[in-house]
Amino acid sequence: MSVTDELLANNARYAETFTGPLPLPPAKHVAVVACMDARLNVYGALGLKEGEAHVIRNAGGVITEDEIRSLAISQRLLGTREIILIHHTDCGMLTFTDEEFRQAIHDETGIKPPWAAEAFTDPDADVRQSVARIKASPFIPHTDSVRGFVFDVATGKLNEVA
Amino acid sequence: MSVTDELLANNARYAETFTGPLPLPPAKHVAVVACMDARLNVYGALGLKEGEAHVIRNAGGVITEDEIRSLAISQRLLGTREIILIHHTDCGMLTFTDEEFRQAIHDETGIKPPWAAEAFTDPDADVRQSVARIKASPFIPHTDSVRGFVFDVATGKLNEVA
């Protein structure tokens, strides 16, 4: 039995008590951008319930073109107004450099990736980088409430850094 | 009190019973790519616990360059082997076209976005598009288990389509 099959069995149990559908626009008008890290359960850590917030996640919780796309759709078409950014302690992005990752892929596949890995050395500074990228984008109309946090994987606490 | 402040109060309660840290690599060696939709609680719908899976999310749950970046990091540096893709019914991406969204932004800001909105008309077909993009990437080494689902926002069930 694959892990995927195991998670599908969990889904069957989830559906037994599920009641829907809820409305499409997020009830709390908030979008969260967070790292993909397995230890960061965004719904749990923020006490979110189904239907309340958009959740955007990637390696690092960084802001690239695709997060600008998602935030533009979130705000312009689905009415969100506040943005919460979450990086975390003990992040995998601290363990390598963009150039090392690019070179390893090049060595193995013969092809250099056209994208940067977006590694960083200081989560606090990278949260501030992400806030700055959002505020500099002409495509994100609402930037009055863009707040940035580092989630502590030891304590479960969010510490505000931007 | 902003919504962000309200969610921070929830976080303080979450941290009271949190025990960490867990190891960095996902315990179930799986990465999930899902739509950012508020009604899709990935941890809940798959019965995931903290520390078990990478969760990557964006508008539509589509595969663009940034999801290839995240999946490459997930598999190459953090040992995941299975990929689960999740789109859903009643998706906002069904309500507009790439050209309409681009034109609306152009009209309002005077600037055409350099990215496509990645809208689609058929979630099943777009899941298959996402699977194909992953399998075509030279940067994702493990594609034996890439399975695609549409989450039903009325019933909470995942239906396999690819």
Tab-separated table of all heavy atoms in Angstrom, chain A residues 128-155:
chain	number	residue	atom	x	y	z
A	128	ARG	N	11.512	39.780	5.301
A	128	ARG	CA	11.485	41.201	4.909
A	128	ARG	C	11.645	41.350	3.393
A	128	ARG	O	11.010	42.213	2.776
A	128	ARG	CB	12.570	41.975	5.668
A	128	ARG	CG	12.257	42.105	7.168
A	128	ARG	CD	13.201	43.066	7.889
A	128	ARG	NE	14.529	42.520	8.074
A	128	ARG	CZ	14.922	41.791	9.128
A	128	ARG	NH1	14.073	41.511	10.104
A	128	ARG	NH2	16.159	41.349	9.209
A	129	GLN	N	12.461	40.505	2.782
A	129	GLN	CA	12.601	40.481	1.319
A	129	GLN	C	11.246	40.180	0.659
A	129	GLN	O	10.855	40.804	-0.329
A	129	GLN	CB	13.621	39.388	0.945
A	129	GLN	CG	13.709	38.982	-0.491
A	129	GLN	CD	14.441	40.014	-1.338
A	129	GLN	OE1	14.181	40.146	-2.520
A	129	GLN	NE2	15.349	40.754	-0.735
A	130	SER	N	10.522	39.224	1.237
A	130	SER	CA	9.219	38.843	0.672
A	130	SER	C	8.211	39.982	0.794
A	130	SER	O	7.448	40.250	-0.141
A	130	SER	CB	8.691	37.590	1.381
A	130	SER	OG	9.525	36.483	1.100
A	131	VAL	N	8.190	40.637	1.955
A	131	VAL	CA	7.292	41.788	2.131
A	131	VAL	C	7.618	42.861	1.090
A	131	VAL	O	6.725	43.418	0.432
A	131	VAL	CB	7.416	42.388	3.552
A	131	VAL	CG1	6.649	43.708	3.643
A	131	VAL	CG2	6.906	41.405	4.592
A	132	ALA	N	8.912	43.111	0.891
A	132	ALA	CA	9.326	44.147	-0.061
A	132	ALA	C	8.921	43.782	-1.484
A	132	ALA	O	8.500	44.641	-2.271
A	132	ALA	CB	10.845	44.359	0.031
A	133	ARG	N	9.036	42.491	-1.832
A	133	ARG	CA	8.639	42.072	-3.186
A	133	ARG	C	7.143	42.276	-3.413
A	133	ARG	O	6.710	42.677	-4.494
A	133	ARG	CB	9.005	40.593	-3.425
A	133	ARG	CG	10.502	40.344	-3.561
A	133	ARG	CD	10.797	38.886	-3.920
A	133	ARG	NE	12.232	38.592	-3.890
A	133	ARG	CZ	12.768	37.414	-4.259
A	133	ARG	NH1	11.981	36.434	-4.676
A	133	ARG	NH2	14.067	37.222	-4.206
A	134	ILE	N	6.342	41.989	-2.395
A	134	ILE	CA	4.888	42.184	-2.524
A	134	ILE	C	4.574	43.670	-2.673
A	134	ILE	O	3.799	44.072	-3.543
A	134	ILE	CB	4.153	41.591	-1.299
A	134	ILE	CG1	4.189	40.064	-1.375
A	134	ILE	CG2	2.712	42.101	-1.221
A	134	ILE	CD1	3.676	39.373	-0.134
A	135	LYS	N	5.188	44.494	-1.815
A	135	LYS	CA	4.876	45.935	-1.849
A	135	LYS	C	5.365	46.582	-3.143
A	135	LYS	O	4.829	47.607	-3.570
A	135	LYS	CB	5.454	46.632	-0.619
A	135	LYS	CG	4.736	46.161	0.654
A	135	LYS	CD	4.894	47.104	1.830
A	135	LYS	CE	3.953	46.672	2.956
A	135	LYS	NZ	4.016	47.518	4.144
A	136	ALA	N	6.385	45.994	-3.779
A	136	ALA	CA	6.913	46.560	-5.027
A	136	ALA	C	6.119	46.112	-6.252
A	136	ALA	O	6.311	46.650	-7.338
A	136	ALA	CB	8.378	46.145	-5.202
A	137	SER	N	5.218	45.135	-6.086
A	137	SER	CA	4.502	44.627	-7.269
A	137	SER	C	3.354	45.550	-7.662
A	137	SER	O	2.516	45.898	-6.826
A	137	SER	CB	3.932	43.232	-6.982
A	137	SER	OG	3.088	42.848	-8.056
A	138	PRO	N	3.269	45.906	-8.944
A	138	PRO	CA	2.132	46.726	-9.386
A	138	PRO	C	0.840	45.922	-9.473
A	138	PRO	O	-0.226	46.502	-9.695
A	138	PRO	CB	2.582	47.203	-10.775
A	138	PRO	CG	3.527	46.149	-11.258
A	138	PRO	CD	4.220	45.620	-10.021
A	139	PHE	N	0.916	44.597	-9.296
A	139	PHE	CA	-0.258	43.750	-9.534
A	139	PHE	C	-1.021	43.387	-8.262
A	139	PHE	O	-2.069	42.756	-8.318
A	139	PHE	CB	0.175	42.476	-10.276
A	139	PHE	CG	0.977	42.788	-11.513
A	139	PHE	CD1	2.270	42.305	-11.672
A	139	PHE	CD2	0.446	43.599	-12.503
A	139	PHE	CE1	3.015	42.618	-12.800
A	139	PHE	CE2	1.181	43.922	-13.635
A	139	PHE	CZ	2.478	43.427	-13.789
A	140	ILE	N	-0.489	43.761	-7.093
A	140	ILE	CA	-1.132	43.475	-5.798
A	140	ILE	C	-1.714	44.782	-5.276
A	140	ILE	O	-0.974	45.646	-4.788
A	140	ILE	CB	-0.097	42.953	-4.766
A	140	ILE	CG1	0.752	41.824	-5.334
A	140	ILE	CG2	-0.789	42.537	-3.472
A	140	ILE	CD1	0.018	40.571	-5.606
A	141	PRO	N	-3.040	44.957	-5.351
A	141	PRO	CA	-3.599	46.277	-5.024
A	141	PRO	C	-3.623	46.637	-3.542
A	141	PRO	O	-3.555	47.813	-3.199
A	141	PRO	CB	-5.025	46.218	-5.591
A	141	PRO	CG	-5.334	44.771	-5.814
A	141	PRO	CD	-4.036	44.045	-5.955
A	142	HIS	N	-3.718	45.637	-2.639
A	142	HIS	CA	-3.927	45.943	-1.215
A	142	HIS	C	-2.723	45.504	-0.384
A	142	HIS	O	-2.552	44.311	-0.118
A	142	HIS	CB	-5.193	45.255	-0.702
A	142	HIS	CG	-6.391	45.569	-1.540
A	142	HIS	ND1	-7.034	46.796	-1.499
A	142	HIS	CD2	-7.024	44.833	-2.487
A	142	HIS	CE1	-8.035	46.790	-2.371
A	142	HIS	NE2	-8.054	45.635	-2.985
A	143	THR	N	-1.899	46.472	0.040
A	143	THR	CA	-0.687	46.113	0.783
A	143	THR	C	-0.589	46.849	2.130
A	143	THR	O	0.481	46.961	2.711
A	143	THR	CB	0.581	46.407	-0.064
A	143	THR	OG1	0.570	47.796	-0.413
A	143	THR	CG2	0.615	45.568	-1.321
A	144	ASP	N	-1.755	47.320	2.633
A	144	ASP	CA	-1.749	47.987	3.942
A	144	ASP	C	-1.455	47.013	5.076
A	144	ASP	O	-0.853	47.385	6.083
A	144	ASP	CB	-3.116	48.640	4.212
A	144	ASP	CG	-3.313	49.876	3.363
A	144	ASP	OD1	-2.319	50.374	2.790
A	144	ASP	OD2	-4.466	50.331	3.252
A	145	SER	N	-1.923	45.758	4.924
A	145	SER	CA	-1.668	44.777	5.971
A	145	SER	C	-0.918	43.580	5.385
A	145	SER	O	-1.515	42.582	4.969
A	145	SER	CB	-2.985	44.325	6.625
A	145	SER	OG	-2.701	43.396	7.672
A	146	VAL	N	0.406	43.727	5.332
A	146	VAL	CA	1.289	42.625	4.916
A	146	VAL	C	2.240	42.406	6.080
A	146	VAL	O	3.143	43.222	6.313
A	146	VAL	CB	2.092	42.967	3.641
A	146	VAL	CG1	2.960	41.775	3.230
A	146	VAL	CG2	1.169	43.372	2.497
A	147	ARG	N	2.013	41.346	6.847
A	147	ARG	CA	2.833	41.124	8.044
A	147	ARG	C	3.581	39.801	7.946
A	147	ARG	O	3.058	38.826	7.413
A	147	ARG	CB	1.952	41.170	9.299
A	147	ARG	CG	1.433	42.599	9.543
A	147	ARG	CD	0.337	42.662	10.583
A	147	ARG	NE	0.774	42.239	11.893
A	147	ARG	CZ	-0.052	42.167	12.947
A	147	ARG	NH1	-1.338	42.487	12.804
A	147	ARG	NH2	0.405	41.781	14.122
A	148	GLY	N	4.817	39.794	8.443
A	148	GLY	CA	5.678	38.637	8.245
A	148	GLY	C	6.133	38.010	9.549
A	148	GLY	O	6.468	38.714	10.504
A	149	PHE	N	6.175	36.669	9.569
A	149	PHE	CA	6.459	35.913	10.785
A	149	PHE	C	7.447	34.782	10.523
A	149	PHE	O	7.559	34.288	9.405
A	149	PHE	CB	5.160	35.297	11.326
A	149	PHE	CG	4.091	36.319	11.585
A	149	PHE	CD1	3.235	36.722	10.565
A	149	PHE	CD2	3.963	36.908	12.834
A	149	PHE	CE1	2.255	37.693	10.795
A	149	PHE	CE2	2.994	37.871	13.072
A	149	PHE	CZ	2.143	38.273	12.050
A	150	VAL	N	8.159	34.386	11.597
A	150	VAL	CA	8.952	33.162	11.561
A	150	VAL	C	8.333	32.194	12.573
A	150	VAL	O	8.219	32.507	13.765
A	150	VAL	CB	10.438	33.430	11.879
A	150	VAL	CG1	11.204	32.113	12.014
A	150	VAL	CG2	11.069	34.277	10.778
A	151	PHE	N	7.909	31.033	12.080
A	151	PHE	CA	7.313	29.984	12.922
A	151	PHE	C	8.437	29.199	13.581
A	151	PHE	O	9.372	28.757	12.907
A	151	PHE	CB	6.469	29.064	12.022
A	151	PHE	CG	5.851	27.882	12.714
A	151	PHE	CD1	4.683	28.024	13.447
A	151	PHE	CD2	6.415	26.614	12.592
A	151	PHE	CE1	4.095	26.921	14.073
A	151	PHE	CE2	5.839	25.517	13.207
A	151	PHE	CZ	4.672	25.661	13.952
A	152	ASP	N	8.361	29.030	14.885
A	152	ASP	CA	9.377	28.287	15.620
A	152	ASP	C	8.967	26.811	15.657
A	152	ASP	O	7.976	26.470	16.313
A	152	ASP	CB	9.498	28.874	17.033
A	152	ASP	CG	10.657	28.250	17.815
A	152	ASP	OD1	10.912	27.045	17.648
A	152	ASP	OD2	11.288	28.985	18.588
A	153	VAL	N	9.722	25.944	14.956
A	153	VAL	CA	9.318	24.527	14.882
A	153	VAL	C	9.520	23.793	16.203
A	153	VAL	O	9.066	22.659	16.352
A	153	VAL	CB	10.061	23.762	13.741
A	153	VAL	CG1	9.734	24.361	12.385
A	153	VAL	CG2	11.562	23.719	13.988
A	154	ALA	N	10.180	24.450	17.175
A	154	ALA	CA	10.320	23.834	18.503
A	154	ALA	C	9.125	24.159	19.391
A	154	ALA	O	8.659	23.310	20.155
A	154	ALA	CB	11.610	24.295	19.170
A	155	THR	N	8.603	25.380	19.268
A	155	THR	CA	7.557	25.813	20.204
A	155	THR	C	6.167	25.970	19.571
A	155	THR	O	5.174	26.112	20.286
A	155	THR	CB	7.917	27.190	20.804
A	155	THR	OG1	7.882	28.177	19.744
A	155	THR	CG2	9.292	27.184	21.446
